[in-house]
Amino acid sequence: MTVYDIAIVGGGLTGAALAGLLKARGNSIVHFAPAMEKDYRTSALMMPTVEFLKETGLCPDPDSLGYPLRQIRIIDATKRLLRGPEALFDSREAGHPQFGYNFPNADLLPRFQAFADDQPGEITKVEARVGLIDRQADGVFVITDAHQNEHRARLLVGADGKKSVVRQQFGFEVDEEQFGQSALVCDFEFERPIGDCSIEFHYENGPFTLVPAHNNKINLVWLDQHKVLNEALALTDEKFEKLLAEKANHLFGHAKLLTKRFVFPLSNLHMRVAGKDGVVLVGEAAHAFPPIGAQGLNLGLRDVKSLIEAIDAIVPEGQAIGRTEADRISASYAAKRTPDLIKTSGFVDGLFKSLLSDFLPAQLLRLSGLWALKSVPPLRKLAFKIGMGR
């Protein structure tokens, strides 16, 4: 039976990107990627991530898929005693023509898959869910799919999302926190376009974010309590459109709904270690947090980049991966990812919870922070650096 260098479990964006890059590198791969429902969400990818997509060939022409994001506008729409100032961040302050691009996930996935198809070499694709994973004495992972077929590999990658089977089966320690908020996403348009500016209206229970897309389309990411969003989900299109205009303070005229509405529960997932004993976790298998600060897929693709770097440093291109190499790769990957995971998750967690807090000192701290971000150039530069993942 063939023993592959690497088994990847999960066919989402991070799993698909990793599979293509490893195939291009010459590794033998078995990829468990069952069919997925269409992902109606979008991902705001910052320029360092976009540069990685261009350099690797995963997406050499971002303008063909993405919409440029040049400004970020934050409006405190709460009714609290202490409210922050309106803040506008322009990419030119950071020395870039834009912060990044807004990509539809449903367009990125086939682009990543096409990249993998175009690379020399072979990937054994298994369009079935994993049933059992077991590690044997010689360091080989035996992965059994839903049809009871066995596949063996030296290095195992879990790219299988928040409920990762790989993470659960190999005892990775994780801190998980469920929130009382969900996220509602949909596409719509206003009478007046919002240009290339992502606009965040900060409310008591989460931000109401308008992200620009092609043809004056707006991608909505609205965070609020489960009950509130489920009620919004049940509204007629006409009433929901009126609610959209109201939540945007009627700044852009009437709204016209373009797609269905979807609601997703929110949670935090923090890992202490993202790799050990020949097993690594990438994407939402290794980290998850509310969609604020545009960090989710950016962080997942940094996982992919770090794993490729760890493999390059230990195994020459075209050489098979053995048990010792797999263990070293997982340890190296974990060491590379820990500082970034701590920094980014702390940034997003603090930002989200400060917005939700009714504790007066916390509101004062947030207010002071917004004023400082608005008026202190060194702090603005630091915020740019963290937000762009540099």
Side-chain angles (χ1 to χ4, degrees):
M1 178 179 289
T2 301
V3 178
Y4 298 92
D5 289 326
I6 303 166
I8 303 172
V9 180
L13 288 166
T14 51
L18 180 61
L21 292 175
L22 290 173
K23 183 185 178 187
R25 193 184 178 279
N27 296 108
S28 61
I29 305 152
V30 57
H31 187 195
F32 293 84
M36 301 173 62
E37 294 182 3
K38 183 177 179 180
D39 187 348
Y40 288 90
R41 297 172 297 174
T42 62
S43 295
L45 298 185
M46 300 296 100
M47 284 312 299
T49 305
V50 174
E51 289 161 6
F52 172 68
L53 296 183
K54 291 169 65 176
E55 290 166 1
T56 58
L58 282 166
C59 185
D61 183 17
D63 290 293
S64 65
L65 291 184
Y67 188 85
L69 302 175
R70 295 188 172 92
Q71 293 182 323
I72 299 173
R73 183 181 177 188
I74 298 176
I75 300 172
D76 190 338
T78 65
K79 297 179 180 179
R80 291 171 175 155
L81 176 63
L82 299 176
R83 298 175 60 189
E86 181 175 325
L88 179 67
F89 301 92
D90 194 299
S91 60
R92 288 171 295 185
E93 289 184 66
H96 298 283
Q98 64 250 358
F99 287 117
Y101 290 82
N102 183 34
F103 290 95
N105 289 359
D107 292 338
L108 268 184
L109 183 59
R111 177 64 62 90
F112 290 174
Q113 292 168 334
F115 169 81
D117 291 341
D118 290 341
Q119 303 311 306
E122 292 185 7
I123 294 179
T124 299
K125 295 182 180 180
V126 182
E127 294 184 358
R129 296 189 180 279
V130 167
L132 175 68
I133 308 173
D134 186 32
R135 178 151 196 180
Q136 297 188 341
D138 62 356
V140 173
F141 294 97
V142 179
I143 305 101
T144 306
D145 65 33
H147 302 294
Q148 300 303 305
N149 299 308
E150 286 189 356
H151 307 269
R152 296 168 178 255
R154 294 286 186 184
L155 180 68
L156 176 63
V157 179
D160 48 341
K162 287 185 182 180
K163 297 180 180 179
S164 171
V165 172
V166 175
R167 187 183 68 237
Q168 294 171 20
Q169 288 200 227
F170 289 91
F172 282 87
E173 292 187 23
V174 60
D175 295 321
E176 190 166 9
E177 179 181 10
Q178 300 293 329
F179 289 109
Q181 285 77 23
S182 291
L184 185 151
V185 298
C186 67
D187 294 344
F188 71 100
E189 63 183 8
F190 276 130
E191 284 182 294
R192 295 185 289 278
I194 65 173
D196 49 17
C197 181
S198 178
I199 304 172
E200 297 183 11
F201 293 88
H202 284 192
Y203 285 96
E204 286 83 354
N205 290 306
F208 179 88
T209 303
L210 311 177
V211 187
H214 288 293
N215 301 318
N216 291 330
K217 186 165 63 175
I218 295 169
N219 303 136
L220 172 68
V221 183
W222 175 14
L223 275 57
D224 211 316
Q225 294 177 334
H226 305 314
K227 181 176 181 294
V228 171
L229 295 185
N230 285 328
E231 289 173 351
L233 199 62
L235 293 174
T236 63
D237 288 354
E238 182 180 2
K239 289 184 178 179
F240 184 73
E241 289 168 347
K242 290 181 179 179
L243 180 60
L244 291 174
E246 179 183 325
K247 296 288 290 184
N249 292 338
H250 301 283
L251 292 177
F252 307 102
H254 297 295
K256 179 183 178 182
L257 190 62
L258 300 176
T259 65
K260 293 181 179 180
R261 292 157 264 171
F262 297 88
V263 171
F264 305 91
L266 299 181
S267 63
N268 263 349
L269 190 152
H270 299 300
M271 297 289 303
R272 294 182 176 86
V273 177
K276 63 177 183 177
D277 302 328
V279 184
V280 300
L281 303 174
V282 300
E284 289 194 334
H287 45 74
F289 32 73
I292 185 170
Q295 291 301 311
L297 184 56
N298 287 281
L299 196 57
L301 290 172
R302 294 206 293 275
D303 294 340
V304 169
K305 183 173 184 288
S306 292
L307 181 54
I308 297 291
E309 290 173 348
I311 296 172
D312 283 344
I314 293 168
V315 181
E317 192 167 319
Q319 180 175 308
I321 296 175
R323 174 180 179 177
T324 301
E325 288 83 4
D327 289 347
R328 290 175 59 202
I329 289 167
S330 62
S332 174
Y333 170 78
K336 283 175 174 288
R337 297 309 298 139
T338 296
D340 190 15
L341 294 179
I342 292 173
K343 179 184 70 174
T344 305
S345 60
F347 168 70
V348 175
D349 195 40
L351 185 62
F352 184 57
K353 289 181 178 177
S354 70
L355 178 60
L356 301 182
S357 178
D358 287 322
F359 188 46
L360 196 61
Q363 292 182 35
L364 181 60
L365 184 63
R366 177 175 169 273
L367 175 65
S368 302
L370 283 173
W371 273 109
L373 285 174
K374 180 181 175 67
S375 53
V376 180
L379 192 58
R380 288 173 69 85
K381 289 182 179 179
L382 179 61
F384 286 142
K385 184 176 180 180
I386 295 174
M388 295 184 75
R390 291 191 181 276

